Amino acid sequence: MGRISPEVRTARRIRRRLKAVSATVAAVMVIAVTLIISLYAAGVRTSYTVSGSMEPTIYRGDLILSSTRYNAIDKGDIIVYQAHWFHDKPVLHRVKDKALDKDTGEFRGYIMRGDNNDADDPETVTPSQVTSEVMAVIPYAGWVINPWAFAAAATLVVALTLATLINWEQGAARRRKAS
């Protein structure tokens, strides 16, 4: 049997390390998807913030966990609602107050405002527009579910991993030569 060349050994070592990194990334992704599906089944929705309207409470890129199984909404609660004034897209703002009919005093909806905004949202939010109430905020984790940010981060991780492996192998080759 012939002797294995140093290049082949190096290639095999790199392949083993890449397999280990790939397996780790795959395991993390499976765990994350399983967690998100489990949360969804329990009535918990995940989203991420795309604007600074709720700063300093919630920052751009934070992961939001909100419940579709909420009780009474009160002043000060942070909710997600379908905003007619924003092309029916979801908006995450704080309930500033309850809107009551001036004549009858009957409840009409909620007056909303982002913590970082100077004015109330342009319309009263009706209970039928409310989709969920915020339960928790996980700083920076929203970048993981933001597809563009995730693609950029994944590219960076792959590039750094490859650069580290290449540098590692070059250092190992220099050490072998020196000895």
Side-chain angles (χ1 to χ4, degrees):
M1 195 123 192
R3 188 171 169 219
I4 299 174
S5 71
E7 292 83 13
V8 171
R9 268 191 253 126
T10 299
R12 286 180 179 171
R13 205 169 325 150
I14 290 172
R15 191 175 321 123
R16 277 194 305 271
R17 289 182 184 142
L18 285 174
K19 281 183 179 179
V21 168
S22 299
T24 303
V25 169
V28 167
M29 289 178 75
V30 165
I31 291 168
V33 168
T34 303
L35 178 63
I36 289 170
I37 290 171
S38 299
L39 289 172
Y40 193 84
V44 176
R45 301 297 180 257
T46 58
S47 59
Y48 57 93
T49 53
V50 295
S51 78
S53 69
M54 284 300 292
E55 291 178 3
T57 308
I58 302 171
Y59 288 91
R60 190 174 290 131
D62 288 352
L63 179 68
I64 308 301
L65 299 178
S66 57
S67 175
T68 59
R69 299 176 184 163
Y70 53 88
N71 293 321
I73 295 172
D74 296 314
K75 181 178 177 178
D77 290 345
I78 300 172
I79 62 171
V80 179
Y81 70 94
Q82 295 302 118
H84 299 310
W85 57 271
F86 196 54
H87 309 293
D88 284 325
K89 291 184 180 176
V91 171
L92 175 128
H93 280 168
R94 187 179 303 277
V95 176
K96 183 180 170 198
D97 210 346
K98 292 186 177 182
L100 304 175
D101 186 278
K102 290 178 184 169
D103 298 328
T104 65
E106 188 176 305
F107 173 75
R108 292 183 331 153
Y110 306 100
I111 299 169
M112 306 298 298
R113 181 187 285 194
D115 289 357
N116 199 24
N117 293 348
D118 294 331
D120 296 340
D121 292 355
E123 68 177 21
T124 298
V125 175
T126 63
S128 65
Q129 288 174 265
V130 177
T131 58
S132 58
E133 182 179 10
V134 173
M135 300 171 16
V137 178
I138 303 171
Y140 307 110
W143 294 111
V144 174
I145 64 172
N146 177 337
W148 296 111
F150 182 77
T155 302
L156 182 63
V157 166
V158 168
L160 288 174
T161 302
L162 289 175
T164 301
L165 288 173
I166 290 167
N167 190 35
W168 189 343
E169 288 305 321
Q170 287 174 347
R174 281 193 296 273
R175 286 189 296 277
R176 281 193 299 274
K177 270 187 180 178
S179 54

